[in-house]
Amino acid sequence: MNKKVIFILILTLVALVVLYLYSFGPWAGVRASGNFNPASLRLSDANSLSAVNKSETFGTYQNKDVKENYYVIQLPRDWRVSTGKDPGSYAIAAANANVQLGLMDVPDNSTLELYVLSQDEPRLRQSLAGYSRIEYTKESINGNEAYRLIYVSRVGGDTYQTIREYIAGQDHAALMVLTSKQSYFPNMQPTFNSIINSFNWQNK
Amino acid sequence: MIKQIFIFISLAIIGLGFYLALFYDVPDAQMMINFFTSWFLIIIGISSLLINLFWGK
């Protein structure tokens, strides 16, 4: 072995250590695919958003956390909106409703509908007590392919009704989960529908 | 002959690494392991190619 080979071996070893630190070590956070953008939590000026209706009861949020999946959505102004678990998501606290918005990854070798029916719904059926599907429809939300799953489930003796709305996107799909007690659901449904219908991708 | 086989294997490893890094669709939960595996292959491939080049010189 000559000096050049030894130098290459040392360089390789250093590169592998750096790679390990960058992948699993303390530098792993540096290369996250998306980051929480503070602007995503601010109410936007709806004048510039042609696809979204202006409203006094609804505020417009532009989510700019994940580069290929910027989106715009309207939420009631009196709901408390905070960031969810992952970039591109919101967790919303509201009276009589629990709403979660976020992005989900659909593998390229599957379609959104296949994913919903073959993976997501069976998972819900297994994990939720008293799961029962009420409705499943294919629809279009502002020109985007979408699927709506409505179901009931039981938590601690109460029955809850949930809308899961899947909207196909460029890289990730959007997932909205809007839940309320079954007795409140008829009152909440118009609000839920307004939220869903306000959704649009910004970089189609 | 052995040297040529070694170069071919090295290039194949580099090619596989770039394929995993650029074209392979990875679920979000496995992004990190894919990143590590692809760059591991690229580094090892380039390194073995260089070693092959400078071996015995």
Side-chain angles (χ1 to χ4, degrees), chain A residues 65-139:
Chain A
D65 290 353
V66 181
K67 201 179 173 187
E68 288 180 316
N69 289 100
Y70 289 171
Y71 64 86
V72 60
I73 194 156
Q74 287 190 317
L75 298 165
R77 288 181 189 274
D78 56 343
W79 286 14
R80 207 171 65 243
V81 179
S82 55
T83 52
K85 207 176 76 176
D86 301 308
S89 66
Y90 290 112
I92 298 148
N96 304 325
N98 181 354
V99 176
Q100 287 167 11
L101 311 176
L103 301 172
M104 61 177 228
D105 189 36
V106 179
D108 278 358
N109 59 4
S110 181
T111 63
L112 182 58
E113 183 169 29
L114 188 65
Y115 179 83
V116 172
L117 294 176
S118 68
Q119 292 192 46
D120 215 35
E121 197 190 14
R123 187 184 56 78
L124 293 170
R125 188 170 280 131
Q126 277 194 333
S127 61
L128 298 176
Y131 176 89
S132 176
R133 184 206 279 191
I134 291 178
E135 188 186 322
Y136 174 76
T137 45
K138 180 178 182 176
E139 53 193 8

Side-chain angles (χ1 to χ4, degrees), chain A residues 1-2 4-5 8-9 12 15-16 19-20 22-24 31 105 107-108 172, chain B residues 25-28 32-33 35-36 39-40 43-44 47 50-51 54-57:
Chain A
M1 265 199 296
N2 60 30
K4 282 177 184 169
V5 172
I8 291 165
L9 284 174
T12 305
L16 290 178
L19 174 66
Y20 180 82
Y22 207 52
S23 303
F24 307 111
R31 51 167 296 278
D105 189 36
D108 278 358
H172 289 69
Chain B
D25 181 51
V26 193
D28 277 2
M32 211 68 100
I33 193 78
F35 175 83
F36 179 79
W39 282 102
F40 179 85
I43 290 168
I44 292 294
S47 163
L50 290 175
I51 287 171
F54 292 115
W55 191 266
K57 283 188 179 175

